Amino acid sequence: MKKKIEDNFKKIKDKSIKFCKRAKKEHLIKNYCKNNILFLTFVITCLINSTMLRFFTMHTVENYLAFKPILADISILIIFGSFGYLFKNKNRFAYFMTLEIFFTFICMVNSIYYTFYTSFASASMLSLTQFIAPVGDAVVENVLQLKDLLYLIGPIILIAVHVLLKKKNYYTNIDNKKERKQKTLKTLITGGILIVLFTVTLSSLEIGRFAKQWNREYIVMRFGIYIYQFNDVVVSLQPKINSIFGYDKAKKNFGEYFEGRDAETTNEYSNILEGKNVIAIHAESLQTVALNRSFNGVEVTPNLNRIAKEGMYFSNFYSQVSVGTSSDAELTYNTSLMPTQSGTAFVSYFDRKYIAIPALLKEKGYYTFSMHANNADFWNRRAMHQSLGYDKFYSKETYKVTKDNTIGLGLSDKEFFKQSITKLQRIKEQNQPFYGLLITLTNHTPFSEVEKYDPFEVNLKEMVTHEDGTEEEVIYPYMEGTKLGNYFKSVHYADAALGQFLNDLDSNGLLDNTVFILYGDHDARLPKKDYQRLFNYNKETNGLLDADNPEYVEFDSYQYELNRKVPFIIWTKDKKYEKEITDVMGMYDVLPTLGNMLGIKNPYALGHDIFNIKENNIVVFPNGNWLTNKIYYNSQKSEYLSLDGDAISEDYIKEKNDYTEKLLGVSDNIIVFNLLNEDNNGKNNKEGS
């Protein structure tokens, strides 16, 4: 057997050597390139684009040195390009140009998308296109960059090559039908061989993650952008297929998952807020980095700082949003479920049964409502808020919106809060107790209408004493003119609006017997370079401190991720808790934690009461990354940052990775298969869990 293998290997080797000698002698490679210029131009330009996309998005040595995605991309391009030979010479350009535009479009869309979401685009986004227009200016100003236009060089080069070939009468060469078919077949076989070679290099872990698709960076880094995108289409269609065929398996996993979970226990905060009115603020793009920060002695968020100090302030709180951004935050806050792996729950799965804060409070006799001075159908809130259990949604049509009282996407926060007071007064008179969620709007990217914010300087001022004893105030630009600087101006305005709202609530008796809750829906998604300037500003050069400067603060990709935390505050007028909770906490922990205080419970919550789990908590992100008090783990890189400097065991990593994978799968199944609907689920799951 061994001799037979050796003989076969020798034959292959001899044939390869013979082919190479023949190719050299007969100039086969030179002739092939000469006769297939258009095909090769298409393949090379599209390969450059896909490689460029990876280099522009994922800045790791592993990605820069990766060969697998190049092999995968070139295989796909050769296979698609092979069918161009079925066309006659003169018609072939139209086919290659169509493909070139298609593959260029894939790269451009993913490049733009990655800038905003730090992930790659999904076909499931097609259902969200109706929500892009209202934030179009934000995309152009805050996301579209020069690098996103570089991909257009590919089509330009292909056109230039075509024009040149036409001038040289390249397309007059006669190629018969039989010859075209042979070329197509040979090229297709070449692409197939490369696909096989690529496949045999894959590990079981890579194949497993490819099938799940929730870790998109990981997939692109190993399978290339083109295979990722085609697989994404299949995965995006899976929920429709699975909802028919995969229900029994999903139901079984659902039951087993909750059977294995420990029941939440009571603690010192159980029922302390029971029966109180609740006013919750969904604060748009409010990031913790703005709190307790000052410029020239003036606080960015004096009102937030005050209630954070007086109430319960969760200072290591993280949003867990995906492509649904604000709507994902609402979903997870209200239900303790994660965003769906495909599309968004608010748009694709609004017709499901949800166990949510408003629905649970309704069962206790609360009147529940939401307020948002935007279009009621934006993120499909009109329908989804009913599914979450809100009795009424006060949307844009119930507010007076004029040109003079708008900032950015709509009604300014100050005017929104002012008009909401009147509504809250009527609600208090007619309904007791009540629960209301108010969704703000002003502090939304691109933070560019600086002239409409309250005056707030983000420069650096110093008094300098000259040799003659005179003093002069010197002003350094610092954060002025940066996106982050404008963000601080926007947050300062939003904080002032919130402060006035609290005063108005108090003067109208709306803070009596009321708990006030505030959470940031997600981070502001601002460029890392601005944070570098924030933490490492060199006033002498108006640049950055050198890395060897003792005052230099390292701010790498891990620090950027950790810096994306948002505030979560529970505050009451009549009791000063003055408690900061520093254990890491995710949006999905709100319902168990707040619910315990209000006397409500969701038996299928994915998060935990932070006062029960404390330092053992884990925050799972939709892309498979996770965070504990010990480490931040990046599943794309299979690397971690130790937060306390201690080494972490492989068992600890594996345990948390397994937990993350199960949680993401169960959460998706709950929504996709409507497992909380008793008509589908029956009573067995409740009894078994």
Side-chain angles (χ1 to χ4, degrees):
M1 182 67 180
K2 183 178 179 181
K3 188 177 186 306
K4 188 176 180 181
I5 293 174
E6 289 176 350
D7 290 341
N8 288 334
F9 180 77
K10 188 175 184 302
K11 287 179 182 179
I12 294 172
K13 181 181 177 182
D14 291 341
K15 286 183 178 180
S16 299
I17 294 172
K18 188 176 180 181
F19 175 79
C20 290
K21 288 180 178 179
R22 177 170 163 250
K24 184 178 180 180
K25 183 179 179 181
E26 299 179 13
H27 306 290
L28 294 181
I29 296 176
K30 181 180 179 181
N31 290 334
Y32 176 82
C33 293
K34 183 180 178 181
N35 295 324
N36 297 274
I37 294 175
L38 209 59
F39 169 78
L40 291 174
T41 302
F42 156 72
V43 171
I44 292 170
T45 53
C46 288
L47 182 63
I48 289 173
N49 273 354
S50 63
T51 305
M52 197 160 58
L53 172 67
R54 287 191 298 104
F55 282 15
F56 284 160
T57 53
M58 298 175 288
H59 307 295
T60 66
V61 175
E62 180 187 8
N63 180 49
Y64 296 149
L65 300 178
F67 178 70
K68 287 182 184 179
I70 294 176
L71 184 59
D73 285 340
I74 199 170
S75 302
I76 293 297
L77 294 170
I78 288 174
I79 289 172
F80 272 81
S82 66
F83 297 104
Y85 289 117
L86 293 176
F87 297 89
K88 290 183 179 180
N89 245 338
K90 59 182 180 180
N91 300 325
R92 205 167 287 164
F93 168 73
Y95 176 79
F96 286 129
M97 192 63 202
T98 302
L99 284 185
E100 182 85 33
I101 292 171
F102 174 68
F103 287 114
T104 299
F105 178 77
I106 288 176
C107 291
M108 283 189 70
V109 167
N110 277 281
S111 180
I112 295 168
Y113 188 87
Y114 194 94
T115 301
F116 195 71
Y117 290 108
T118 323
S119 184
F120 292 99
S122 172
S124 58
M125 289 173 56
L126 291 175
S127 60
L128 311 180
T129 52
Q130 59 185 305
F131 308 122
I132 294 176
V135 294
D137 291 342
V139 172
V140 172
E141 183 170 338
N142 230 25
V143 180
L144 189 63
Q145 299 177 3
L146 178 62
K147 65 178 176 59
D148 302 320
L149 302 176
L150 290 178
Y151 304 98
L152 294 174
I153 294 175
I156 292 172
I157 290 175
L158 189 65
I159 292 172
V161 169
H162 167 65
V163 171
L164 189 63
L165 292 177
K166 203 171 181 181
K167 285 182 178 179
K168 293 185 176 182
N169 298 319
Y170 182 82
Y171 298 122
T172 58
N173 296 334
I174 299 174
D175 53 346
N176 56 53
K177 192 173 183 181
K178 182 180 178 181
E179 185 181 331
R180 293 201 305 271
K181 283 185 176 180
Q182 287 179 343
K183 269 192 172 184
T184 300
L185 183 60
K186 288 179 180 179
T187 309
L188 195 58
I189 290 173
T190 301
I193 291 172
L194 291 177
I195 279 286
V196 171
L197 290 174
F198 165 72
T199 304
V200 298
T201 66
L202 299 173
S203 66
S204 57
L205 174 65
E206 290 169 333
I207 294 171
R209 290 192 173 183
F210 177 72
K212 292 182 178 65
Q213 189 83 348
W214 48 259
N215 194 330
R216 296 175 185 173
E217 275 191 305
Y218 183 93
I219 302 301
V220 174
M221 197 183 298
R222 285 155 176 82
F223 291 81
I225 188 62
Y226 302 131
I227 287 182
Y228 157 78
Q229 207 72 75
F230 297 137
N231 184 58
D232 173 73
V233 173
V234 175
V235 172
S236 296
L237 294 174
Q238 271 184 343
K240 309 299 181 185
I241 301 170
N242 286 348
S243 60
I244 301 173
F245 300 107
Y247 176 80
D248 289 337
K249 182 179 179 182
K251 180 179 175 181
K252 179 176 179 290
N253 292 339
F254 169 75
E256 290 175 351
Y257 182 84
F258 285 101
E259 280 177 11
R261 276 178 58 116
D262 295 331
E264 294 282 355
T265 58
T266 58
N267 55 50
E268 59 183 307
Y269 298 104
S270 298
N271 305 318
I272 62 168
L273 303 176
E274 190 170 15
K276 286 183 177 291
N277 298 321
V278 182
I279 296 176
I281 304 296
H282 171 116
E284 173 64 44
S285 302
L286 182 59
Q287 202 166 331
T288 303
V289 69
L291 273 67
N292 298 311
R293 185 168 300 282
S294 299
F295 289 88
N296 303 307
V298 181
E299 294 177 301
V300 177
T301 59
N303 296 292
L304 281 169
N305 294 346
R306 176 176 67 85
I307 64 172
K309 184 178 179 181
E310 294 176 353
M312 292 186 196
Y313 173 43
F314 303 82
S315 57
N316 276 307
F317 181 78
Y318 287 84
S319 182
Q320 296 164 291
V321 299
S322 184
V323 297
T325 55
S326 294
S327 71
D328 284 343
E330 275 193 76
L331 172 81
T332 307
Y333 162 82
N334 277 302
T335 68
S336 191
L337 293 174
M338 293 290 287
T340 50
Q341 294 175 18
S342 175
T344 66
F346 268 52
V347 176
S348 305
Y349 305 104
F350 65 91
D351 56 348
R352 300 307 198 245
K353 165 74 174 178
Y354 293 98
I355 300 176
I357 292 174
L360 291 168
L361 287 174
K362 272 180 72 170
E363 294 176 3
K364 293 177 72 71
Y366 276 67
Y367 174 71
T368 60
F369 61 92
S370 55
M371 295 179 173
H372 185 39
N374 201 351
N375 189 323
D377 294 313
F378 193 80
W379 285 125
N380 201 33
R381 284 188 172 104
R382 190 195 303 274
M384 187 62 174
H385 279 204
Q386 288 185 4
S387 298
L388 294 175
Y390 291 107
D391 289 310
K392 185 172 177 62
F393 179 21
Y394 296 86
S395 61
K396 181 179 180 179
E397 59 200 25
T398 68
Y399 287 84
K400 294 179 181 178
V401 182
T402 67
K403 184 179 180 180
D404 294 332
N405 65 14
T406 61
I407 296 179
L409 298 185
L411 189 64
S412 69
D413 283 359
K414 288 185 177 180
E415 191 64 28
F416 169 59
F417 285 139
K418 180 182 177 181
Q419 294 185 35
S420 296
I421 287 290
T422 306
K423 295 177 173 57
L424 288 167
Q425 286 174 318
R426 288 198 298 265
I427 290 170
K428 182 186 177 185
E429 292 168 1
Q430 299 170 10
N431 304 278
Q432 194 77 18
F434 62 78
Y435 168 85
L437 177 73
L438 284 75
I439 304 171
T440 66
L441 193 58
T442 299
N443 195 45
H444 190 288
T445 187
F447 318 112
S448 57
E449 298 188 51
V450 181
E451 69 282 355
K452 292 186 178 181
Y453 305 148
D454 297 336
F456 184 70
E457 296 180 338
V458 291
N459 52 29
L460 178 62
K461 299 179 180 178
E462 281 188 352
M463 294 302 296
V464 177
T465 303
H466 297 291
E467 292 181 358
D468 60 1
T470 59
E471 289 188 337
E472 178 188 9
E473 184 180 62
V474 179
I475 301 176
Y476 304 96
Y478 195 18
M479 300 307 297
E480 290 287 354
T482 66
K483 290 178 180 177
L484 181 55
N486 287 348
Y487 172 70
F488 287 137
K489 293 173 185 281
S490 176
V491 173
H492 185 71
Y493 169 89
D495 179 82
L498 181 69
Q500 185 59 54
F501 180 54
L502 286 169
N503 291 336
D504 292 343
L505 287 172
D506 195 15
S507 61
N508 285 280
L510 288 163
L511 286 182
D512 299 333
N513 194 40
T514 297
V515 56
F516 184 84
I517 295 162
L518 179 141
Y519 67 89
D521 63 347
H522 54 73
D523 69 289
R525 292 186 168 87
L526 294 168
K528 188 166 69 173
K529 65 179 182 179
D530 281 4
Y531 289 104
Q532 290 279 14
R533 186 175 178 87
L534 177 68
F535 297 120
N536 294 301
Y537 181 63
N538 186 337
K539 63 184 180 183
E540 305 299 334
T541 63
N542 192 32
L544 300 180
L545 295 172
D546 294 331
D548 57 358
N549 189 299
E551 295 182 5
Y552 181 83
V553 177
E554 185 168 350
F555 195 83
D556 58 17
S557 59
Y558 282 109
Q559 301 305 324
Y560 181 80
E561 290 298 314
L562 292 170
N563 191 62
R564 295 174 73 175
K565 57 189 174 184
V566 298
F568 175 44
I569 301 169
I570 299 174
W571 178 86
T572 61
K573 171 189 172 183
D574 54 341
K575 182 173 175 57
K576 304 296 186 287
Y577 293 98
E578 297 184 346
K579 183 177 181 64
E580 180 181 355
I581 298 88
T582 59
D583 293 312
V584 296
M585 182 179 179
M587 192 72 77
Y588 63 5
D589 297 312
V590 171
L591 174 49
T593 303
L594 182 61
N596 176 56
M597 298 177 183
L598 292 168
I600 58 176
K601 182 180 180 182
N602 176 1
Y604 303 120
L606 295 177
H608 296 87
D609 184 339
I610 193 66
F611 295 112
N612 283 338
I613 198 166
K614 298 179 181 177
E615 71 275 1
N616 295 316
N617 199 21
I618 176 174
V619 179
V620 172
F621 297 101
N623 63 357
N625 294 358
W626 48 266
L627 173 71
T628 67
N629 278 0
K630 293 183 178 180
I631 71 169
Y632 176 84
Y633 183 80
N634 186 307
S635 62
Q636 287 84 12
K637 303 175 185 176
S638 296
E639 295 176 355
Y640 68 86
L641 173 69
S642 175
L643 302 181
D644 55 13
D646 294 338
I648 305 297
S649 69
E650 291 184 9
D651 289 342
Y652 182 86
I653 300 289
K654 185 180 185 307
E655 175 195 341
K656 302 303 182 188
N657 275 335
D658 290 346
Y659 178 88
T660 295
E661 188 169 338
K662 287 178 182 177
L663 183 142
L664 289 171
V666 168
S667 179
D668 202 58
N669 285 341
I670 287 173
I671 299 174
V672 171
F673 296 103
N674 201 12
L675 295 180
L676 300 182
N677 187 336
E678 292 184 6
D679 293 337
N680 289 341
N681 198 37
K683 296 180 180 179
N684 292 334
N685 272 334
K686 277 195 172 182
E687 292 170 356
S689 61

